[in-house]
Amino acid sequence: MAQKKCGVIAIIGRPNVGKSSLINALLKAQAVIISPKPQTTRNAVRCIYNDENSQIIFTDTPGLNISRNKLGDFLNDSILEALDDSDAVLWLIDAGTRTLSPLDSEIARIIPQSLPVVLAANKSDKSDPSEAFTLYEGLREFRAEIPISAKTKKGLDELIAEIMQLIPEGEAIYDPEILMDTTEKFMAAEIIRGKVLMFLRDEVPHCTAVEIDEYKSPDEYPDRKKLYIRASLITETDGQKKIVIGEKGGMIKRIGSESRKAIEEVTGFPVYLELWAKVIPNWRKNNTALRRLGYS
Ligand SMILES: Nc1nc2c(ncn2[C@@H]2O[C@H](COP(=O)(O)OP(=O)(O)OP(=O)(O)O)[C@@H](O)[C@H]2O)c(=O)[nH]1
Ligand SMILES: [Mg+2]
């Protein structure tokens, strides 16, 4: 019987290259939220891939950003922490990249020289990756260069085979039933934030956070037989709050009902979801607010 392998891989890259989409494709589940907008992911989350030979713990990370506030600092710090905890790195790029940006040099700088790195060019269903590979080859050494597509699943078997070479022998750390190392409450907040990203435009989703004020499982509420969630959509200004609420409350109702359905699917429980809109002025620059919202 082949020796089992188990290791941690940090997936890092610019915003919007498809890091979270790749995790969902590998796990064959809607584990983490994705959106066409950059800066979707805000917390490094461990997502667990299992097959007969291995357990690979992929850390989804926020896209490295040019930090403009304390939230941006938190996002970048969480990438450093994920790197610190990993056996190897999967640097994800967009196959369509035709020029390097300062973010790429910064990514090359923060990856410790001692860590092996696989370079994967995502969205190769849309663009030929050869030119992008040539550009990135100037930044550091890579163990492998693999064209992939999280959308069509192209190259994913080859990617897993390469990663298997880089992780140590060892037994699984997580129960194979576990998809993500996080709480149900965090997942519910992320589902709601995913709907905010889906339905609202421009700056508003970036200025919005979700706070779970109350989360009661059906065991705690036997008379209701429902998962009871009370949550707040926190924006920075009254203007943003108005947009989140929408005309006659239409927007917040839509976010609420779509979130409820998605949380019911994930948890398997009927859900009662109450959503409120609140303002915390400049929460992205405020340490106390960031801590309260789970960004510290
Ligand atoms: N055509 C194509 N689009 C993709 C592919 N993978 C992801 N996308 C799209 O790219 C966009 C960004 O995807 P995400 O997975 O949220 O990207 P991310 O790197 O996690 O982004 P941040 O969390 O903001 O750093 C979404 O609109 C995806 O649908 C792919 O293989 N092909
Ligand atoms: Mg992401």
Side-chain angles (χ1 to χ4, degrees), residues 73-217:
D73 295 343
F74 167 77
L75 302 183
N76 289 344
D77 287 349
S78 63
I79 301 171
L80 295 177
E81 241 175 77
L83 283 169
D84 207 35
D85 285 344
S86 61
D87 297 302
V89 176
L90 171 54
W91 185 347
L92 199 64
I93 61 170
D94 187 318
T97 308
R98 295 294 174 259
T99 46
L100 291 178
S101 88
L103 286 178
D104 298 307
S105 327
E106 186 56 16
I107 291 169
R109 192 185 68 78
I110 63 174
I111 302 173
Q113 276 305 324
S114 55
L115 283 183
V117 183
V118 169
L119 185 68
N122 191 35
K123 310 195 187 183
S124 63
D125 53 286
K126 263 195 340 197
S127 319
D128 182 294
S130 355
E131 214 174 304
F133 282 141
T134 310
L135 280 175
Y136 282 82
E137 278 161 13
L139 292 176
R140 70 163 285 149
E141 270 200 21
F142 297 105
R143 289 297 184 93
E145 294 173 8
I146 308 172
I148 63 163
S149 165
K151 188 176 172 186
T152 66
K153 318 268 193 290
K154 177 187 141 185
L156 300 195
D157 291 343
E158 200 190 337
L159 180 66
I160 291 290
E162 264 323 316
I163 287 169
M164 283 276 279
Q165 311 283 324
L166 305 179
I167 58 171
E169 290 181 350
E171 289 299 318
I173 298 174
Y174 291 92
D175 183 319
E177 298 289 304
I178 294 175
L179 201 64
M180 294 164 77
D181 186 353
T182 184
T183 60
E184 220 178 74
K185 192 169 149 182
F186 172 82
M187 284 175 77
E190 284 291 275
I191 287 172
I192 299 168
R193 203 167 59 78
K195 301 303 173 195
V196 171
L197 278 152
M198 190 182 284
F199 299 136
L200 293 168
R201 280 176 301 148
D202 307 321
E203 263 300 286
V204 183
H206 299 295
C207 306
T208 305
V210 176
E211 182 171 37
I212 305 286
D213 303 302
E214 212 180 334
Y215 191 95
K216 285 216 154 79
S217 74

Side-chain angles (χ1 to χ4, degrees), residues 13-24 32-42 60-64 92 94 121-126 148-153 206:
R14 286 193 208 173
N16 215 39
V17 293
K19 299 176 292 299
S20 304
S21 302
L22 172 60
I23 295 218
N24 288 344
V32 283
I33 60 165
I34 65 160
S35 91
K37 302 179 179 80
Q39 237 76 88
T40 294
T41 303
R42 287 186 186 158
D60 189 16
T61 67
L64 188 83
L92 199 64
D94 187 318
N122 191 35
K123 310 195 187 183
S124 63
D125 53 286
K126 263 195 340 197
I148 63 163
S149 165
K151 188 176 172 186
T152 66
K153 318 268 193 290
H206 299 295

Side-chain angles (χ1 to χ4, degrees), residues 211 234-237 278-283 286 289 292-293:
E211 182 171 37
I234 315 272
T235 54
E236 292 197 315
T237 64
K278 282 186 203 160
V279 176
I280 302 182
N282 289 319
W283 67 260
N286 175 329
R292 185 174 132 187
L293 297 168

